[in-house]
Structures are given as structure tokens and as C-alpha cells.
Amino acid sequence: MAFLMNPGSDLKFLFIINPGSGTNRQDWPAIISNYFNNLNHTVKIYQLHGDFSRQTVIEQIVSFLPDTVVAVGGDGTIKLIAECLVNTKVPLGIIPAGSANGLAKELDIPEDYEKALNLLVTGVLKKIHLLKINNQICIHLSDIGLNAHAVKKFETLPGRGMWGYIRASLKVLRINPMIKVEIALDNKVIKRKAHMIVVANATRYGSGALINPLGKLDDDLFEVVIVKKISLGELFKMIFSHNPYDSNKTEIFQTTKLTLRSARKVYFQIDGEYIGKVNEVQAMLLPFALEIIVPPAAG
């Protein structure tokens, strides 16, 4: 369900900026201040520094009491702020400023910052489901195996953006072993070997690669995508043509809860943030837990 924003109202916007996101070093405080200079809204800008935490963001929210909190950064920044807004009546706005901006692409939020800023006062409010995975919030996509390993490698390589991710993927593709898992879903238990397993609330990665054609952020299920085998050619095809994984090498299950156990510890990421190695993943649906400002067509 979506509700129109009221551009004529005097609203309070709290902008949380992550200066370390992405590669585009915009002067975000100046851009934001210039945009709102002639508008009848109140704006506070806070830049994250050093070893910031969720408590840092909560303190800013409590002191300012905004009508909307806006994440200026990538998927990791959005995840951090969303964790502070779960099951509140405060909506989340997004200014894409990361390396991939997967969630923004999923919601058709423009990467052009002027259009994204305009959306904050002309967009609609959309309630979406979240996932709770190993006691962390997941808005978009989480996985174990090859992609999570690439995310870890990406964090250690020079350069950001798409080509940085491609270099990381190529490095781990040659050495990433198959993983053996037992997966308990709502009504079945299965055993599989795979290169990677995705716990998906959405449809595609920030690269544009379509991983979950069944994904919807506001339906009553999430998907478990088992990629049994992936090749170098298929990896490039997904990244550049945005075609889905080979259906002959992929299985998709829908569920409301999941327990996944691996025979050994495996690489694990949530919303583009490498978490560590795990041998168990537990996930459940959190219905309509977050409200986000989106374009009217996406609402």
C-alpha cells in the first residue's frame, strides 16, 4: 500500500551521510542545503565518522525527531539506518551514493541526486517486508558462498564500483569450493551442493544480475535461491546482459522461515556487507516492517 507525500507540508528531514560510500565524492551537505534552501522544510545533516554504530544514528533520531530519515550512501548505509526505523512510523528516504545501490535500483529510485532529492517531497510511502537473518535485518539480498566471498575480496582490493566487483568475482570463482547444506523450509527439508545460496527479499543485485525473478518486497514470502553451479561465461552474462541464472542449474523455493546448516563454515553477507563465516543461517519474514519513499509508479 502506498500513500502520497504532501510536498506543501513543513516536514523535518534528517540526512545521514556516509562519506565513505561509493566513489563519487560529492559535497552532500552543500547539495542538500542548496536543494532545500527555498522549500518550506526543516533539514538536519549528520555525517557518519570513524567507527559509527546504530546507536549513533538512534541518538540523532531521538534528538531531532524527524518526519523522515534519509540515507545518503550505499546498501550498507541503508541497512544501518533501516535497523533504527524498523516498526516505527518514521519512513526511510534514499539518496543512492554507493558502489552498487542495489536497493535503490530495486525500488526505481533515481541515481541522479537532484531527481532523488525531489522524490523525497513528491514520492509515495510504501510499506515493505524485511527479513531477520541471524538476528540482523536484511532489506534486499543475503547469501552464502561465492558472492559473499567476492564481497569480502572486494573490500580488500583497490578501486570500487562495478569493475572492482568483477575483479573480486574472478579471483574467487577459481577457488570457491562447492558447499554442502541442509535446508529446512516451511514444509520440507532438503540437502544440496551448490556454489552459492541466496536468501532473497528482492530480485537482483546492484550489478543488475537477476537472481530471483519471483521476488517482491511486499509479498508474504521470501525466496531461497540455490545456484548449483556457475561458470565464468555465465557470470559475465548475468552482469552485462542482466539475464537470470541458468534455470537448469538453479532452484528457487518460497518460504516464510528458513534454517540452513552447512557442513563447514562458509562466507556470509547481508545487503552487500560481509558478515563473516558461518555454518548456520536462520531467517524469518518481518511483515510490513519498514516504510520507504518511492516513485509513484513503484508504489
Side-chain angles (χ1 to χ4, degrees):
M1 183 178 294
F3 302 92
L4 283 169
M5 298 288 287
N6 185 353
S9 300
D10 183 5
L11 300 173
K12 295 172 69 177
F13 290 91
L14 172 61
F15 285 83
I16 305 292
I17 301 171
N18 184 356
S21 291
T23 57
N24 192 353
R25 298 294 180 246
Q26 299 281 6
D27 185 352
W28 289 112
I31 290 170
I32 294 164
S33 298
N34 288 339
Y35 179 85
F36 283 94
N37 189 43
N38 296 317
L39 296 180
N40 189 31
H41 301 295
T42 304
V43 170
K44 180 178 180 181
I45 297 172
Y46 181 80
Q47 297 198 64
L48 298 170
H49 296 285
D51 296 329
F52 57 82
S53 65
R54 184 175 8 172
Q55 187 59 34
T56 303
V57 177
I58 292 173
E59 288 170 359
Q60 294 298 314
I61 295 171
V62 170
S63 66
F64 186 60
L65 297 177
D67 296 297
T68 300
V69 179
V70 184
V72 184
D75 290 329
T77 306
I78 295 168
K79 176 180 180 293
L80 170 72
I81 297 171
E83 288 172 342
C84 304
L85 300 178
V86 171
N87 294 325
T88 72
K89 295 182 179 180
V90 181
L92 172 68
I94 297 173
I95 305 296
S99 297
N101 304 311
L103 182 63
K105 291 174 182 175
E106 187 82 26
L107 295 169
D108 294 325
I109 295 171
E111 292 193 325
D112 179 280
Y113 62 77
E114 290 187 358
K115 292 179 180 178
L117 284 165
N118 190 56
L119 182 64
L120 297 177
V121 295
T122 62
V124 299
L125 298 178
K126 180 184 181 70
K127 289 186 175 180
I128 67 169
H129 301 328
L130 300 176
L131 300 180
K132 186 176 182 179
I133 304 180
N134 285 15
N135 292 317
Q136 293 200 45
I137 293 299
C138 174
I139 312 174
H140 193 225
L141 296 165
S142 175
D143 55 56
I144 63 170
L146 189 145
N147 182 67
H149 193 178
V151 168
K152 180 180 186 296
K153 180 66 70 174
F154 176 73
E155 293 177 352
T156 66
L157 294 176
R160 307 295 289 174
M162 180 69 69
W163 286 106
Y165 173 76
I166 291 172
R167 285 196 298 272
S169 298
L170 293 177
K171 285 182 178 294
V172 304
L173 184 61
R174 299 190 303 269
I175 61 174
N176 199 77
M178 299 287 278
I179 53 180
K180 299 178 182 180
V181 295
E182 180 181 272
I183 303 172
L185 306 166
D186 283 336
N187 54 8
K188 66 174 66 177
V189 176
I190 59 174
K191 294 183 178 181
R192 293 292 187 272
K193 293 180 181 180
H195 264 143
M196 59 184 281
I197 298 173
V198 185
V199 185
N201 196 32
T203 62
R204 64 185 68 235
Y205 287 106
S207 64
L210 178 63
I211 185 64
N212 176 28
L214 303 180
K216 292 182 179 179
L217 290 167
D218 57 355
D219 65 359
D220 294 329
L221 298 165
F222 64 91
E223 285 73 43
V224 180
V225 184
I226 302 172
V227 182
K228 299 176 185 177
K229 190 172 180 60
I230 185 169
S231 65
L232 178 62
E234 190 172 35
L235 179 66
F236 271 89
K237 179 186 72 173
M238 289 185 304
I239 291 174
F240 291 108
S241 70
H242 300 170
N243 289 326
Y245 285 88
D246 185 343
S247 60
N248 294 321
K249 301 175 184 176
T250 306
E251 287 182 284
I252 302 178
F253 297 92
Q254 293 184 301
T255 188
T256 62
K257 62 180 182 294
L258 161 77
T259 298
L260 180 154
R261 294 185 176 91
S262 170
R264 59 179 176 81
K265 286 194 171 184
V266 290
Y267 296 97
F268 173 51
Q269 70 87 20
I270 299 177
D271 287 341
E273 295 290 304
Y274 178 67
I275 305 300
K277 281 190 167 184
V278 299
N279 52 20
E280 182 170 311
V281 173
Q282 295 191 10
M284 61 180 292
L285 195 71
L286 299 178
F288 299 113
L290 183 67
E291 204 164 37
I292 299 184
I293 301 174
V294 299

